[in-house]
Amino acid sequence: MRPILILTKNLVIEQELQQRLQHLNYEVFCSVELFDRLRISEYDQKEQKEWLDQFLANYQVVIISETISDNEIQAILPNLRSEERILLRKLGAHPSAKEEEQIRALGLNDWITADQSIDVLREQLSEKLVTLPREEPNIVVLYSGQAKSGDIDNLKNNLSNRELTVLDCLIQAQGEVVSREALCTHLWNEAPNNSHLSQASVLIKRIKMKLEIAGYDPELLKTIWGRGYLLAKSNLSNSFSVQAR
């Protein structure tokens, strides 16, 4: 597991987040100097590009502190973007819908807040990291030629009964968010507990991977942090009829 990098202007305020990430067994490097190197002139960036690329290749996640402005993020993003790296915006509070749009428009993958619990942080990172390319690219190569419209039979055949039940619940919501608690109640017909909540998160990750394998956009299935899960309306919703095997 590659480490996590926090870019900031103030090391002190990142200590709490750094400790929580370390509690989750992530190796964390927090740097002001690297941020300064990334924001230098375009000419100097070219001079250091090889070094920067080699250094950044060590990190699977880059968290950009709330001490860094949106304009500064735009300036450093060209050196940060990679299909093998997740970019997260750290915020002081939960963003509004408009602020979420701005984060996406910047080219970042997602956001976290300074006061996020360890449980939420763990699940959010796990959800994002599963989308990164694996060291063994067998699945990607095998299905790279599939149609973007998706193969419904392939998807149905690869989903377990419990995964089918999850997908059915999300389809019935018709594009609305389904809370984690409601999903667990739908799955186990009883009040949710920590074990059920954890299993539900794993099921969501597996479904996202199987969507991609079957030729669908895995981002059809979204985790709405603090609220639950959402399946976007699509041809998948229209053509999918769940029949437990």
Side-chain angles (χ1 to χ4, degrees):
M1 182 184 294
R2 289 179 292 153
I4 292 175
L5 171 65
I6 301 176
L7 294 176
T8 184
K9 292 181 179 179
N10 187 333
L11 295 175
V12 174
I13 69 168
E14 312 302 340
Q15 289 178 353
E16 184 178 353
L17 174 60
Q18 188 169 4
Q19 289 171 357
R20 279 184 289 157
L21 290 168
Q22 289 169 338
H23 180 85
L24 294 173
N25 204 32
Y26 290 103
E27 183 181 352
V28 184
F29 177 60
C30 191
S31 178
V32 174
E33 180 185 354
L34 184 61
F35 169 63
D36 289 336
R37 288 201 181 201
L38 286 166
R39 64 198 290 254
I40 59 178
S41 71
E42 185 176 347
Y43 173 79
D44 289 333
Q45 281 185 9
K46 289 179 180 178
E47 291 292 306
Q48 298 188 41
K49 182 169 177 53
E50 183 177 354
W51 179 88
L52 286 170
D53 288 346
Q54 290 177 352
F55 184 87
L56 290 169
N58 295 314
Y59 297 94
Q60 61 182 345
V61 176
V62 176
I63 298 174
I64 304 175
S65 171
E66 71 272 37
T67 61
I68 298 173
S69 71
D70 287 354
N71 286 337
E72 289 169 326
I73 291 175
Q74 286 180 320
I76 66 176
L77 268 182
N79 283 321
L80 292 177
R81 287 195 184 100
S82 169
E83 293 182 357
E84 300 181 357
R85 187 178 304 121
I86 299 297
L87 303 179
L88 301 176
R89 176 62 148 149
K90 179 173 169 248
L91 302 172
H94 194 291
S96 65
K98 184 176 180 180
E99 287 170 333
E100 283 197 61
E101 289 180 9
Q102 291 173 339
I103 290 169
R104 301 278 189 256
L106 279 171
L108 305 179
N109 298 101
D110 211 337
W111 52 269
I112 61 173
T113 59
D115 60 351
Q116 228 159 345
S117 71
I118 284 182
D119 288 339
V120 172
L121 187 60
R122 178 194 64 232
E123 296 303 317
Q124 187 171 7
L125 287 172
S126 177
E127 178 80 16
K128 290 300 175 185
L129 289 173
V130 78
T131 66
L132 291 177
R134 300 182 178 186
E135 291 183 4
E136 305 83 13
N138 297 357
I139 290 178
V140 175
V141 174
L142 180 59
Y143 292 98
S144 61
Q146 286 201 9
K148 291 183 179 179
S149 58
D151 184 337
I152 191 69
D153 291 330
N154 180 285
L155 179 61
K156 286 182 179 180
N157 291 335
N158 279 296
L159 291 171
S160 67
N161 281 340
R162 188 154 284 174
E163 290 163 353
L164 282 166
T165 303
V166 171
L167 197 55
D168 183 40
C169 179
L170 295 171
I171 288 172
Q172 289 180 27
Q174 299 183 350
E176 297 294 325
V177 175
V178 177
S179 72
R180 297 174 70 201
E181 292 75 15
L183 182 59
C184 288
T185 300
H186 183 81
L187 279 166
W188 288 283
N189 295 314
E190 61 184 28
N193 54 41
N194 288 337
S195 176
H196 289 164
L197 292 169
S198 179
Q199 289 181 62
S201 297
V202 172
L203 287 168
I204 291 293
K205 287 185 284 187
R206 288 177 179 170
I207 293 170
K208 283 176 72 73
M209 288 196 306
K210 292 178 181 182
L211 282 169
E212 187 168 14
I213 288 170
Y216 291 94
D217 181 358
E219 291 305 310
L220 287 173
L221 178 51
K222 296 181 180 295
T223 299
I224 311 299
W225 298 107
R227 296 179 59 197
Y229 305 109
L230 179 150
L231 183 70
K233 291 183 178 180
S234 65
N235 291 336
L236 170 65
S237 303
N238 298 332
S239 61
F240 200 97
S241 175
V242 173
Q243 295 180 350
R245 298 190 299 275

